[in-house]
Amino acid sequence: MTLIRAYRPSDRNAVAEICTRTGDSGADATGQFSTDDLLPDIYALPYVEREPELALMVDAGAGAIGYILGTADTAAFDRWFTDSWWPTVAGKYAAAATAGTASEAESRFVRSATVAGGGLPTELLAAYPAHLHIDLLPVTQGMGVGRTLIDAFCGLLADRGVPGVHLGVGARNTGAHRFYERTGFTRVGEDGAIWYAKAL
């Protein structure tokens, strides 16, 4: 039986693994970078570190097979990420860059984590200050859990009085584009990623 439940500290390793195994536009990114920590260190673990109450897990009984997580306040999260989170993990990637072993893609991800700017246009952040990441292993396909996760996460945000939420999707991930459009998100911009937003 599959259920949606709150994140637990014991889920941390599963969150990292799911992030990596879905990190190539939904496909497995294992082994693509100097360490498989890269994508979780940017797109998953900071969220369960700072706002674990906004993380929900998909559990089929033998452990987590998917999640949704995010932040209620992107501007505050970005400041915390730069000032408090990234300094704790940055050494892993500085060594790869110095040794010349970092791929172009890895260097691009590290820059995206450390350079201000990008993301949702500033003028839209007031209307859609929250953002989310949802990652589901292939075994979850056809279970209908994606929409359930979106609805549950948006409910948590609405209970806090958050007016809207946004997310970015890689241009190649066409299945994700269709999914977000079916769950009430509207395309609002493009800046490397395609940006979607939803009022709550």
Side-chain angles (χ1 to χ4, degrees):
M1 179 178 177
T2 302
L3 59 86
I4 308 298
R5 61 168 174 79
Y7 169 81
R8 304 167 185 155
S10 59
D11 294 319
R12 186 180 177 91
N13 289 341
V15 166
E17 180 182 356
I18 293 165
C19 182
T20 298
R21 290 178 58 194
T22 58
D24 185 4
S25 293
D28 195 345
T30 301
Q32 291 187 10
F33 306 106
S34 62
T35 169
D36 286 337
D37 292 347
L38 176 65
L39 298 179
D41 278 346
I42 298 173
Y43 298 113
L45 297 181
Y47 296 90
V48 298
E49 179 74 19
R50 188 171 192 268
E51 293 173 85
E53 69 279 6
L54 287 180
L56 300 171
M57 309 301 295
V58 182
D59 193 326
I65 55 175
Y67 61 71
I68 190 168
L69 43 78
T71 179
D73 184 338
T74 296
F77 176 87
D78 287 349
R79 290 190 297 271
W80 170 85
F81 182 99
T82 300
D83 295 341
S84 300
W85 171 261
W86 189 250
T88 70
V89 299
K92 301 177 194 179
Y93 312 108
T98 301
T101 58
S103 67
E104 181 181 343
E106 180 168 338
S107 297
R108 187 172 63 249
F109 279 119
V110 171
R111 285 195 305 272
S112 76
T114 57
V115 176
L120 196 71
T122 304
E123 62 272 17
L124 293 176
L125 270 179
Y128 309 105
H131 75 262
L132 66 84
H133 296 280
I134 180 172
D135 289 309
L136 301 169
L137 293 177
V139 69
T140 65
Q141 292 176 358
M143 292 182 176
V145 296
R147 181 182 292 274
T148 302
L149 281 174
I150 292 285
D151 289 346
F153 184 83
C154 288
L156 292 174
L157 293 176
D159 288 345
R160 294 176 169 214
V162 178
V165 61
H166 71 275
L167 57 91
V169 185
R172 293 189 298 125
N173 199 346
T174 55
H177 293 279
R178 292 192 296 271
F179 168 73
Y180 292 121
E181 289 164 1
R182 289 196 305 270
T183 53
F185 284 81
T186 301
R187 183 169 170 165
V188 293
E190 182 173 352
D191 180 18
I194 310 298
W195 296 96
Y196 287 88
K198 180 177 183 176
L200 302 177

